[in-house]
Amino acid sequence: MQIATATNPGVARILSFDGVTIDAGDLARLKADVAALRSRADVVVVSHHNRDGATPVQFGDEQTSERGGAGADRTKAEDYQKLFAHTALDAGADLVFGHGTHTIQGTEIYKGKPILYAVGHSAFDQPGYEDSKDGLVVRVLVNGTKIRRVSFVPVTRDATNTMVMTTPVSGEGARLAAIVKRNSPGLALPIEGQEVVVLGAAGGPTSQR
């Protein structure tokens, strides 16, 4: 993976060694990039490839993590993920979603704006991750320049690596919805039809705060 520089293209680095802090220069670049986009776009969505510091397949059993290393619960967002998302939204983004932990994680409404900390997989066949099948398909409704509704459907994969959409009210879908709910303190996350609503439920705001 090539990190972008002033003269060469690549990915925008977000460096966190401890799962809590982020390199100050990387945070400054994040804020500058979002602020620059804010005046050029009706809706700004920021996507973040989360660090995977608790995965022995990639990093070995000795990888240090605030979540406790290889045996840690990767369905729990790290503090640096929250710092990243809050910083992006404060800079002018409308929605933040993460991926890369090979799991699903919780959601948050921050100052009225939605965060999905990790949406997991839809189709993935990297060796060593055959059992990493949890995922969310996210639906975002935009009206004019505003995000009006955000919802998700839990998904998994079958033996042929084909994505299978599930219902959040029973079976595997209910298990996945429960993981998100457990890691989304303060959110009601009501079910409407076959979707779990993060923002814009028919009965009003989903946040209990």
Side-chain angles (χ1 to χ4, degrees):
M1 178 172 58
Q2 178 174 307
I3 301 299
T5 68
T7 57
N8 294 310
V11 299
R13 189 188 75 169
I14 295 293
L15 178 62
S16 177
F17 283 118
D18 58 8
V20 177
T21 60
I22 298 175
D23 178 87
D26 293 348
L27 273 182
R29 282 183 285 273
L30 167 66
K31 290 188 280 190
D33 286 346
V34 173
L37 286 171
R38 181 69 276 170
S39 63
R40 299 168 57 190
D42 291 336
V43 175
V44 177
V45 177
V46 175
S47 176
H48 171 221
H49 189 281
N50 304 324
R51 82 184 198 124
D52 198 3
T55 304
V57 170
Q58 289 186 322
F59 299 103
D61 291 336
E62 301 305 316
Q63 177 71 13
T64 300
S65 170
E66 289 295 314
R67 287 180 293 184
D73 181 1
R74 288 182 290 117
T75 67
K76 296 183 182 299
E78 293 188 280
D79 288 343
Y80 97 93
Q81 291 175 249
K82 299 173 184 179
L83 173 61
F84 172 89
H86 294 177
T87 299
L89 294 176
D90 284 339
D94 298 291
L95 181 149
V96 175
F97 75 93
H99 52 89
T101 51
H102 307 284
T103 61
I104 57 176
Q105 294 179 342
T107 65
E108 181 183 354
I109 302 298
Y110 174 76
K111 298 182 179 179
K113 299 178 179 181
I115 304 166
L116 296 101
Y117 280 108
V119 298
H121 294 296
S122 56
F124 194 75
D125 60 358
Q126 181 175 330
Y129 291 98
E130 289 82 2
D131 293 330
S132 298
K133 299 178 180 181
D134 298 352
L136 308 174
V137 169
V138 181
R139 182 184 183 190
V140 179
L141 176 63
V142 178
N143 185 357
T145 61
K146 300 292 184 182
I147 292 177
R148 302 297 183 184
R149 187 175 187 271
V150 177
S151 59
F152 67 82
V153 176
V155 298
T156 186
R157 291 181 289 116
D158 64 16
T160 66
N161 203 43
T162 299
M163 185 184 75
V164 178
M165 301 184 78
T166 67
T167 173
V169 299
S170 64
E172 182 69 0
R175 181 187 72 83
L176 298 177
I179 292 173
V180 178
K181 173 74 173 178
R182 183 176 71 241
N183 291 294
S184 305
L187 289 185
L189 299 180
I191 295 172
E192 294 182 4
Q194 298 302 308
E195 300 177 341
V196 180
V197 182
V198 178
L199 177 72
T206 64
S207 176
Q208 298 173 347
R209 291 176 290 176

